[in-house]
Amino acid sequence: MKPPSDLKILDVIYKLYYDEFQSFTQEPDVQNGRVGKIHVPIDCKMIARELGVDSDIVFGRLYYHLEERYGYKREGGSRVVFFSLGVGVDRHCVNFPLLASVLAGLQEENSKFQWATVLSAIALLISIVVPLV
């Protein structure tokens, strides 16, 4: 079985958790179920079921690969995490706005690749058909 791409994992997380991210409010009388808006707790087992893989694959990609690739330090020394084991009482949290930015970049990159492939295929087809005419 082929492992899911970063694009596919992030796309599934975005679709499953966007409503939860967006519905967070700062109003004191509303229970949000999490510490803050930016860090959204996720369920690696549910995401893995959606992708048809083991949950440790999803966790490993987030914790060992994507956090290393997209988490960063600011000039002042503070760290911006992509994926955290915990934020307050919440476990396995993604920085949702950062995830959305990374996802948009991967989608754009994928779109460029697909267009280049289609244009190359068309050019190849033309180069085969024109001499026959």
Side-chain angles (χ1 to χ4, degrees):
M1 162 140 211
K2 184 179 171 186
S5 66
D6 293 348
L7 175 61
K8 185 66 177 167
I9 292 171
L10 298 182
D11 188 52
V12 167
I13 294 170
Y14 186 84
K15 287 176 181 172
L16 288 174
Y17 292 95
Y18 177 77
D19 288 338
E20 184 175 335
F21 166 74
Q22 170 275 227
S23 68
F24 185 88
T25 181
Q26 295 288 348
E27 295 178 30
D29 59 334
V30 177
Q31 285 285 34
N32 293 295
R34 64 182 198 267
V35 175
K37 182 170 185 165
I38 291 176
H39 296 101
V40 177
I42 61 170
D43 181 349
C44 291
K45 288 180 182 179
M46 181 174 62
I47 295 162
R49 275 193 303 275
E50 289 284 322
L51 296 167
V53 296
D54 187 273
S55 63
D56 288 332
I57 298 293
V58 172
F59 174 82
R61 285 291 282 280
L62 289 165
Y63 185 68
Y64 298 111
H65 174 66
L66 294 169
E67 168 58 26
E68 289 297 315
R69 188 168 192 180
Y70 299 110
Y72 60 93
K73 274 191 177 178
R74 291 187 173 176
E75 284 185 26
S78 64
R79 180 126 175 91
V80 176
V81 297
F82 182 83
F83 177 78
S84 176
L85 292 177
V87 176
V89 296
D90 297 331
R91 290 192 59 224
H92 298 169
C93 297
V94 292
N95 180 327
F96 207 83
L98 181 55
L99 178 143
S101 296
V102 169
L103 177 59
L106 291 174
Q107 289 171 333
E108 183 178 4
E109 202 174 286
N110 187 52
S111 177
K112 286 179 186 178
F113 174 76
Q114 287 178 342
W115 273 108
T117 302
V118 167
L119 292 176
S120 295
I122 291 170
L124 179 63
L125 185 62
I126 290 171
S127 70
I128 292 171
V129 171
V130 167
L132 299 175
V133 175

